[in-house]
Amino acid sequence: MSNLPANAATWFFIPATDYAKSVKFFEDLLEISLIEETEGDGEMALTYAMFPKEGKTGMTGAVAPAVITQPASGGVLLYLHCADIDGALSRVDRLGGSIVSPKRPLPGEMGLVATVADLDGTPIGLHQP
């Protein structure tokens, strides 16, 4: 029996100072609908908007109010699946974000990547397989 996980990463949160605006930013940028969930009760309740995925395996994450963790401009870079990287990059400025690094190919036909900054300036990678 192996102790190796199916995915090295299992979950992510993108902290947002304006939760509703940030949810709309990612929905409009990626042309998807995030799934709102609430965990816990009372003062311990945390509402977040989860990125959709197909099936029950694999990883996902969510946009969450910046309560536990604050947005940052450095640190770990997370890549989100992006079906149309050119379309997303054409929308990012209008949505209030910015392009940090332009689209570039990955080796071995692994797709395209780019980096954008969200409404709080947190860099987010986009990956079009």
Side-chain angles (χ1 to χ4, degrees), residues 2 14-15 23 30 42 45 50 53 55 75 88 91-92 97-98 102 109 124:
S2 170
I14 300 172
V23 169
L30 300 173
M50 198 165 51
K53 66 179 186 69
R91 292 185 293 276
V92 71
S98 62
E109 297 183 27
I124 304 292

Side-chain angles (χ1 to χ4, degrees), residues 21-110:
K21 279 187 177 178
S22 291
V23 169
K24 182 162 176 33
F25 172 83
F26 284 106
E27 287 181 332
D28 290 349
L29 180 68
L30 300 173
E31 296 183 322
I32 59 173
S33 294
L34 300 184
I35 304 157
E36 194 157 277
E37 299 280 345
T38 301
E39 243 177 48
D41 296 312
E43 288 183 23
M44 297 302 290
L46 175 64
T47 297
Y48 55 87
M50 198 165 51
F51 288 87
K53 66 179 186 69
E54 187 174 323
K56 294 184 180 197
T57 61
M59 75 159 284
T60 190
V63 175
V67 176
I68 299 168
T69 305
Q70 295 300 306
S73 62
V76 174
L77 182 60
L78 162 78
Y79 283 84
L80 297 175
H81 176 270
C82 183
D84 177 13
I85 201 165
D86 290 323
L89 292 174
S90 73
R91 292 185 293 276
V92 71
D93 288 328
R94 174 179 54 80
L95 296 171
S98 62
I99 297 173
V100 175
S101 66
K103 174 182 76 173
R104 63 194 181 283
L106 292 172
E109 297 183 27
M110 293 187 334

